[in-house]
Amino acid sequence: ARQYLKENPASAAKLEAMATGAGPATGGYAPGAVSGSGSGPGSSAESRADAAADGEGRLRLMLGDAEVRIDAEGCNADTATLQRCTGGARVSVASGGVTRELRVDSLYLNSRATAYRGPLDDPADRAGRSIVIVDIDRDGREDIALWTGTRGANGAASYDVYRAAADGYRRDAALSALTEGANGLFTLDDGRLVRMSKSGCCLHTTARYEWRDGRPLLVEEVVEDTTAGRASPVVTTRRRIDGRMQTVAP
């Protein structure tokens, strides 16, 4: 993560600009500074909360009516604003009288962009966020994505994505895999998942997925190629037609 921030000064500056401050610890947990107000999975409202974990790896955040508690172990500073917890972390989310918990083997905590809850239609909403709460599969229950690695494009954040169930969370391997090799977490556009990625200097891909039979299905892929000093990119578009991906005319 440190190397990614060094190689991407614009991203580092953006994270720095998202600071909102943090207060002293209360109730055994470091509290987060909050902006916005959310009111559940069906709301268009947004909530953000930013803070660093305390010396014992504990953190409490409020996102609207949702309370997020983190108990992490083995947390060390990667940068002035980024903690990498390699000893595992327990994450609990309480909202609407229901508490769901999960445990991950590692967790990155960005004190300048810690948590976001709300619609995921703008890439800026999830930029550098450690925790994102959103109803991905549109079943009325809020799912959660956690920054757990650096397997994104050029060392960017990768996420473990968990879908909410009646009795807790279930890790979704397909959704988690979409964040590997990508420019961070996907966004949502009218129910479609939008994944952006890049390869080297000149290949930029935007892929769109629809939710079918309980999993994401690729339905469109647009590749922009600016290699060989082209003045304008060569765009290749593929769409799912009659059950298979096919190249279509520009």
Side-chain angles (χ1 to χ4, degrees):
R2 183 186 294 113
Q3 184 65 27
Y4 171 73
L5 293 174
K6 286 181 179 179
E7 295 176 353
N8 295 268
S11 295
K14 185 173 184 178
L15 297 181
E16 208 53 39
M18 295 173 73
T20 58
T26 59
Y29 287 78
V34 180
S35 64
S37 60
S39 57
S43 171
S44 60
E46 302 175 353
S47 294
R48 297 171 178 83
D50 306 319
D54 65 17
E56 297 183 3
R58 297 179 300 185
L59 179 62
R60 174 179 176 269
L61 303 165
M62 291 302 301
L63 297 166
D65 64 353
E67 179 187 52
V68 180
R69 288 179 180 259
I70 298 170
D71 287 276
E73 298 178 2
C75 298
N76 295 288
D78 258 20
T79 69
T81 60
L82 185 64
Q83 294 173 292
R84 180 163 55 103
C85 304
T86 58
R90 181 172 61 86
V91 180
S92 69
V93 180
S95 176
V98 177
T99 299
R100 296 183 175 91
E101 295 187 359
L102 61 88
R103 183 173 180 83
V104 291
D105 293 334
S106 64
L107 183 64
Y108 286 79
L109 291 173
N110 182 355
S111 64
R112 300 299 178 91
T114 313
Y116 170 83
R117 180 192 187 202
L120 204 55
D121 51 8
D122 185 341
D125 293 336
R126 46 73 165 163
R129 292 281 169 185
S130 300
I131 303 164
V132 176
I133 297 176
V134 58
D135 183 4
I136 296 172
D137 53 9
R138 307 176 83 176
D139 66 351
R141 292 189 289 239
E142 289 180 302
D143 310 302
I144 187 169
L146 302 171
W147 180 1
T148 57
T150 53
R151 298 182 297 278
N154 300 322
S158 56
Y159 291 78
D160 277 351
V161 182
Y162 292 79
R163 292 167 62 191
D167 58 347
Y169 290 109
R170 301 287 183 270
R171 184 179 184 276
D172 192 296
L175 290 175
S176 300
L178 290 184
T179 74
E180 298 185 9
N183 302 343
L185 188 63
F186 46 76
T187 57
L188 295 172
D189 180 16
D190 194 25
R192 285 187 171 186
L193 283 73
V194 182
R195 176 186 186 269
M196 302 185 72
S197 61
K198 62 181 178 180
S199 177
C201 67
C202 308
L203 289 177
H204 301 266
T205 302
T206 301
R208 289 177 169 80
Y209 297 78
E210 290 184 353
W211 199 256
R212 300 209 188 151
D213 299 324
R215 61 180 292 112
L217 177 70
L218 179 65
V219 295
E220 183 182 74
E221 182 180 71
V222 179
V223 179
E224 296 186 6
D225 184 355
T226 59
T227 56
R230 298 185 176 103
S232 58
V234 174
V235 179
T236 303
T237 301
R238 299 169 63 236
R239 294 193 180 101
R240 187 169 295 277
I241 302 172
D242 297 329
R244 62 187 182 90
M245 295 298 293
Q246 302 181 43
T247 301
V248 297

mmCIF file of all heavy atoms in Angstrom, residues 2 5 20 24-25 44 50 77 84 90 98 101 114 116 150 163 166 171 176 178-179 181 188 202 208 222:
data_model
loop_
_atom_site.group_PDB
_atom_site.id
_atom_site.type_symbol
_atom_site.label_atom_id
_atom_site.label_comp_id
_atom_site.label_asym_id
_atom_site.label_seq_id
_atom_site.Cartn_x
_atom_site.Cartn_y
_atom_site.Cartn_z
ATOM 1 N N ARG A 2 1.989 1.221 0.775
ATOM 2 C CA ARG A 2 2.887 2.359 0.805
ATOM 3 C C ARG A 2 3.444 2.633 -0.587
ATOM 4 O O ARG A 2 3.520 3.768 -1.032
ATOM 5 C CB ARG A 2 4.016 2.085 1.793
ATOM 6 C CG ARG A 2 4.965 3.271 1.944
ATOM 7 C CD ARG A 2 6.160 2.936 2.813
ATOM 8 N NE ARG A 2 5.734 2.694 4.176
ATOM 9 C CZ ARG A 2 5.810 1.508 4.754
ATOM 10 N NH1 ARG A 2 6.243 0.468 4.073
ATOM 11 N NH2 ARG A 2 5.431 1.350 6.008
ATOM 12 N N LEU A 5 0.879 4.308 -2.852
ATOM 13 C CA LEU A 5 0.681 5.716 -2.584
ATOM 14 C C LEU A 5 1.860 6.544 -3.105
ATOM 15 O O LEU A 5 1.686 7.657 -3.577
ATOM 16 C CB LEU A 5 0.479 5.944 -1.082
ATOM 17 C CG LEU A 5 -0.813 5.353 -0.508
ATOM 18 C CD1 LEU A 5 -0.844 5.518 1.003
ATOM 19 C CD2 LEU A 5 -2.034 6.009 -1.132
ATOM 20 N N THR A 20 -11.288 14.593 7.982
ATOM 21 C CA THR A 20 -12.341 15.291 8.736
ATOM 22 C C THR A 20 -12.032 15.319 10.216
ATOM 23 O O THR A 20 -12.811 15.849 10.998
ATOM 24 C CB THR A 20 -13.699 14.594 8.547
ATOM 25 O OG1 THR A 20 -13.589 13.244 8.972
ATOM 26 C CG2 THR A 20 -14.130 14.638 7.102
ATOM 27 N N PRO A 24 -11.283 11.983 20.848
ATOM 28 C CA PRO A 24 -10.700 11.059 21.804
ATOM 29 C C PRO A 24 -11.531 9.807 21.937
ATOM 30 O O PRO A 24 -12.706 9.773 21.591
ATOM 31 C CB PRO A 24 -10.696 11.881 23.110
ATOM 32 C CG PRO A 24 -11.844 12.837 22.937
ATOM 33 C CD PRO A 24 -11.855 13.183 21.494
ATOM 34 N N ALA A 25 -10.938 8.760 22.479
ATOM 35 C CA ALA A 25 -11.635 7.487 22.631
ATOM 36 C C ALA A 25 -12.731 7.575 23.671
ATOM 37 O O ALA A 25 -12.596 8.245 24.689
ATOM 38 C CB ALA A 25 -10.628 6.412 23.009
ATOM 39 N N SER A 44 -31.273 7.175 -0.333
ATOM 40 C CA SER A 44 -30.258 7.739 -1.202
ATOM 41 C C SER A 44 -29.270 8.577 -0.409
ATOM 42 O O SER A 44 -28.351 9.165 -0.971
ATOM 43 C CB SER A 44 -30.914 8.607 -2.283
ATOM 44 O OG SER A 44 -31.640 9.671 -1.687
ATOM 45 N N ASP A 50 -14.610 8.883 9.575
ATOM 46 C CA ASP A 50 -13.171 8.755 9.437
ATOM 47 C C ASP A 50 -12.498 8.785 10.805
ATOM 48 O O ASP A 50 -12.786 9.662 11.625
ATOM 49 C CB ASP A 50 -12.613 9.895 8.575
ATOM 50 C CG ASP A 50 -13.314 9.997 7.227
ATOM 51 O OD1 ASP A 50 -13.581 8.936 6.633
ATOM 52 O OD2 ASP A 50 -13.595 11.127 6.785
ATOM 53 N N ALA A 77 1.533 1.045 11.309
ATOM 54 C CA ALA A 77 1.376 2.153 10.367
ATOM 55 C C ALA A 77 2.138 1.878 9.084
ATOM 56 O O ALA A 77 3.354 1.665 9.113
ATOM 57 C CB ALA A 77 1.843 3.449 11.003
ATOM 58 N N ARG A 84 -2.156 -1.065 8.746
ATOM 59 C CA ARG A 84 -2.345 -2.404 8.184
ATOM 60 C C ARG A 84 -2.388 -3.385 9.349
ATOM 61 O O ARG A 84 -1.417 -3.545 10.086
ATOM 62 C CB ARG A 84 -1.221 -2.752 7.215
ATOM 63 C CG ARG A 84 -1.346 -4.132 6.587
ATOM 64 C CD ARG A 84 -0.459 -4.241 5.359
ATOM 65 N NE ARG A 84 0.930 -3.917 5.645
ATOM 66 C CZ ARG A 84 1.893 -4.833 5.784
ATOM 67 N NH1 ARG A 84 1.614 -6.119 5.689
ATOM 68 N NH2 ARG A 84 3.135 -4.456 6.020
ATOM 69 N N ARG A 90 -12.148 -8.403 13.755
ATOM 70 C CA ARG A 90 -13.574 -8.711 13.884
ATOM 71 C C ARG A 90 -14.347 -7.433 13.610
ATOM 72 O O ARG A 90 -14.067 -6.388 14.200
ATOM 73 C CB ARG A 90 -13.899 -9.240 15.272
ATOM 74 C CG ARG A 90 -15.387 -9.612 15.449
ATOM 75 C CD ARG A 90 -15.611 -10.309 16.784
ATOM 76 N NE ARG A 90 -15.246 -9.470 17.898
ATOM 77 C CZ ARG A 90 -16.048 -8.566 18.472
ATOM 78 N NH1 ARG A 90 -17.277 -8.386 17.996
ATOM 79 N NH2 ARG A 90 -15.634 -7.844 19.489
ATOM 80 N N VAL A 98 -30.650 -5.332 14.162
ATOM 81 C CA VAL A 98 -29.937 -6.539 13.745
ATOM 82 C C VAL A 98 -28.439 -6.270 13.796
ATOM 83 O O VAL A 98 -27.970 -5.238 13.307
ATOM 84 C CB VAL A 98 -30.338 -6.968 12.319
ATOM 85 C CG1 VAL A 98 -29.538 -8.187 11.879
ATOM 86 C CG2 VAL A 98 -31.829 -7.242 12.245
ATOM 87 N N GLU A 101 -21.903 -9.955 12.258
ATOM 88 C CA GLU A 101 -20.471 -9.945 12.508
ATOM 89 C C GLU A 101 -19.733 -10.804 11.486
ATOM 90 O O GLU A 101 -20.299 -11.735 10.910
ATOM 91 C CB GLU A 101 -20.159 -10.467 13.916
ATOM 92 C CG GLU A 101 -20.679 -9.604 15.043
ATOM 93 C CD GLU A 101 -20.196 -10.090 16.398
ATOM 94 O OE1 GLU A 101 -19.466 -11.119 16.457
ATOM 95 O OE2 GLU A 101 -20.525 -9.448 17.412
ATOM 96 N N THR A 114 -12.216 6.272 6.108
ATOM 97 C CA THR A 114 -12.396 4.990 6.786
ATOM 98 C C THR A 114 -13.630 4.239 6.313
ATOM 99 O O THR A 114 -13.536 3.073 5.913
ATOM 100 C CB THR A 114 -12.459 5.187 8.313
ATOM 101 O OG1 THR A 114 -11.407 6.052 8.733
ATOM 102 C CG2 THR A 114 -12.330 3.847 9.034
ATOM 103 N N TYR A 116 -17.779 4.327 4.431
ATOM 104 C CA TYR A 116 -18.818 4.980 3.638
ATOM 105 C C TYR A 116 -20.042 4.083 3.603
ATOM 106 O O TYR A 116 -19.939 2.861 3.465
ATOM 107 C CB TYR A 116 -18.326 5.244 2.212
ATOM 108 C CG TYR A 116 -19.428 5.701 1.267
ATOM 109 C CD1 TYR A 116 -19.814 7.036 1.231
ATOM 110 C CD2 TYR A 116 -20.075 4.795 0.429
ATOM 111 C CE1 TYR A 116 -20.835 7.455 0.373
ATOM 112 C CE2 TYR A 116 -21.084 5.210 -0.427
ATOM 113 C CZ TYR A 116 -21.460 6.545 -0.447
ATOM 114 O OH TYR A 116 -22.467 6.948 -1.276
ATOM 115 N N THR A 150 -3.883 -5.708 -1.355
ATOM 116 C CA THR A 150 -3.407 -4.763 -2.370
ATOM 117 C C THR A 150 -3.245 -5.492 -3.699
ATOM 118 O O THR A 150 -2.228 -5.373 -4.374
ATOM 119 C CB THR A 150 -2.072 -4.122 -1.938
ATOM 120 O OG1 THR A 150 -1.134 -5.167 -1.616
ATOM 121 C CG2 THR A 150 -2.270 -3.227 -0.731
ATOM 122 N N ARG A 163 -21.965 -10.576 1.412
ATOM 123 C CA ARG A 163 -23.390 -10.312 1.263
ATOM 124 C C ARG A 163 -24.109 -10.625 2.571
ATOM 125 O O ARG A 163 -23.800 -11.606 3.257
ATOM 126 C CB ARG A 163 -23.965 -11.150 0.136
ATOM 127 C CG ARG A 163 -23.437 -10.730 -1.249
ATOM 128 C CD ARG A 163 -23.752 -11.743 -2.310
ATOM 129 N NE ARG A 163 -25.194 -11.921 -2.476
ATOM 130 C CZ ARG A 163 -25.736 -12.901 -3.184
ATOM 131 N NH1 ARG A 163 -24.951 -13.805 -3.776
ATOM 132 N NH2 ARG A 163 -27.034 -12.992 -3.303
ATOM 133 N N ALA A 166 -29.674 -13.410 6.743
ATOM 134 C CA ALA A 166 -30.509 -13.180 7.918
ATOM 135 C C ALA A 166 -29.716 -13.325 9.208
ATOM 136 O O ALA A 166 -29.967 -12.618 10.186
ATOM 137 C CB ALA A 166 -31.693 -14.149 7.907
ATOM 138 N N ARG A 171 -19.234 -14.432 2.678
ATOM 139 C CA ARG A 171 -18.275 -13.911 1.702
ATOM 140 C C ARG A 171 -18.690 -14.352 0.298
ATOM 141 O O ARG A 171 -18.999 -15.513 0.059
ATOM 142 C CB ARG A 171 -16.860 -14.400 2.003
ATOM 143 C CG ARG A 171 -15.795 -13.805 1.066
ATOM 144 C CD ARG A 171 -14.413 -14.307 1.410
ATOM 145 N NE ARG A 171 -13.394 -13.672 0.577
ATOM 146 C CZ ARG A 171 -13.053 -14.064 -0.637
ATOM 147 N NH1 ARG A 171 -13.654 -15.137 -1.173
ATOM 148 N NH2 ARG A 171 -12.125 -13.425 -1.327
ATOM 149 N N SER A 176 -15.779 -10.537 -4.704
ATOM 150 C CA SER A 176 -14.436 -10.238 -4.200
ATOM 151 C C SER A 176 -13.424 -10.285 -5.334
ATOM 152 O O SER A 176 -12.528 -9.438 -5.427
ATOM 153 C CB SER A 176 -14.050 -11.227 -3.097
ATOM 154 O OG SER A 176 -14.962 -11.165 -2.011
ATOM 155 N N LEU A 178 -13.820 -9.559 -8.384
ATOM 156 C CA LEU A 178 -13.943 -8.403 -9.276
ATOM 157 C C LEU A 178 -13.039 -7.254 -8.850
ATOM 158 O O LEU A 178 -12.735 -6.368 -9.653
ATOM 159 C CB LEU A 178 -15.392 -7.912 -9.337
ATOM 160 C CG LEU A 178 -16.400 -8.808 -10.056
ATOM 161 C CD1 LEU A 178 -17.759 -8.133 -10.102
ATOM 162 C CD2 LEU A 178 -15.931 -9.149 -11.464
ATOM 163 N N THR A 179 -12.616 -7.231 -7.600
ATOM 164 C CA THR A 179 -11.761 -6.137 -7.128
ATOM 165 C C THR A 179 -10.280 -6.416 -7.370
ATOM 166 O O THR A 179 -9.457 -5.512 -7.232
ATOM 167 C CB THR A 179 -11.983 -5.877 -5.623
ATOM 168 O OG1 THR A 179 -11.372 -6.907 -4.837
ATOM 169 C CG2 THR A 179 -13.465 -5.803 -5.301
ATOM 170 N N GLY A 181 -7.053 -6.818 -9.531
ATOM 171 C CA GLY A 181 -6.636 -6.272 -10.818
ATOM 172 C C GLY A 181 -7.448 -5.068 -11.254
ATOM 173 O O GLY A 181 -7.304 -4.590 -12.382
ATOM 174 N N LEU A 188 -21.898 1.016 -8.799
ATOM 175 C CA LEU A 188 -23.200 0.512 -9.219
ATOM 176 C C LEU A 188 -23.887 1.559 -10.073
ATOM 177 O O LEU A 188 -23.963 2.727 -9.699
ATOM 178 C CB LEU A 188 -24.070 0.183 -8.000
ATOM 179 C CG LEU A 188 -23.583 -0.961 -7.107
ATOM 180 C CD1 LEU A 188 -24.421 -1.049 -5.839
ATOM 181 C CD2 LEU A 188 -23.622 -2.280 -7.855
ATOM 182 N N CYS A 202 -1.509 2.067 -21.063
ATOM 183 C CA CYS A 202 -2.341 2.457 -22.196
ATOM 184 C C CYS A 202 -3.623 1.660 -22.416
ATOM 185 O O CYS A 202 -4.376 1.962 -23.335
ATOM 186 C CB CYS A 202 -1.509 2.386 -23.470
ATOM 187 S SG CYS A 202 0.048 3.296 -23.368
ATOM 188 N N ARG A 208 -19.065 -4.095 -17.410
ATOM 189 C CA ARG A 208 -20.357 -3.993 -16.729
ATOM 190 C C ARG A 208 -20.943 -5.388 -16.535
ATOM 191 O O ARG A 208 -20.909 -6.222 -17.439
ATOM 192 C CB ARG A 208 -21.315 -3.107 -17.527
ATOM 193 C CG ARG A 208 -20.930 -1.638 -17.490
ATOM 194 C CD ARG A 208 -21.845 -0.760 -18.338
ATOM 195 N NE ARG A 208 -21.603 0.650 -18.083
ATOM 196 C CZ ARG A 208 -20.596 1.346 -18.612
ATOM 197 N NH1 ARG A 208 -19.760 0.752 -19.456
ATOM 198 N NH2 ARG A 208 -20.427 2.621 -18.314
ATOM 199 N N VAL A 222 -15.665 -2.586 -22.501
ATOM 200 C CA VAL A 222 -15.142 -1.555 -23.397
ATOM 201 C C VAL A 222 -13.665 -1.350 -23.074
ATOM 202 O O VAL A 222 -13.308 -1.026 -21.936
ATOM 203 C CB VAL A 222 -15.905 -0.231 -23.244
ATOM 204 C CG1 VAL A 222 -15.317 0.831 -24.176
ATOM 205 C CG2 VAL A 222 -17.391 -0.425 -23.527
#
